[in-house]
């Protein structure tokens, strides 16, 4: 398992938490997603043999957020 903290701009409310957490959490290989509005970060734990970091970033970007 790999753990990564992503800086994400544009998150501001509970909908953002549900949107990102739900979409990333549904990816095969993702075991944990934690969205922190205060720090503007998304902590994700995933199996790199099943899903790539680029795919996770793409899913967040597709939700309308800016992944740094």
């Amino acid at each position: 398992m790999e753990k990564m903290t992503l800086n994400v701009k544009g998150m501001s409310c509970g909908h953002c938490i549900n949107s990102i957490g739900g979409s990333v959490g549904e990816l095969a290989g993702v075991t944990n997603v934690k969205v922190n509005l205060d720090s503007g970060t998304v902590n994700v734990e995933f199996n790199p043999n099943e899903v790539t970091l680029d795919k996770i970033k793409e899913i967040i970007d597709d939700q309308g957020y800016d992944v740094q």
Side-chain angles (χ1 to χ4, degrees), residues 2-68:
E2 193 169 320
K3 293 181 182 180
M4 186 67 61
T5 299
L6 304 172
N7 293 313
V8 180
K9 295 200 180 229
M11 302 185 302
S12 60
C13 63
H15 171 75
C16 300
I17 295 170
N18 293 333
S19 178
I20 293 173
S23 60
V24 173
E26 290 177 359
L27 290 171
V30 173
T31 57
N32 190 24
V33 180
K34 182 168 186 200
V35 178
N36 187 318
L37 296 179
D38 292 334
S39 64
T41 59
V42 175
N43 297 309
V44 61
E45 186 173 341
F46 63 99
N47 181 340
N49 295 322
E50 293 183 53
V51 65
T52 64
L53 182 58
D54 285 341
K55 180 63 177 177
I56 293 168
K57 289 179 178 180
E58 178 185 321
I59 292 293
I60 295 171
D61 187 61
D62 286 350
Q63 296 290 317
Y65 304 100
D66 184 21
V67 182
Q68 303 290 302

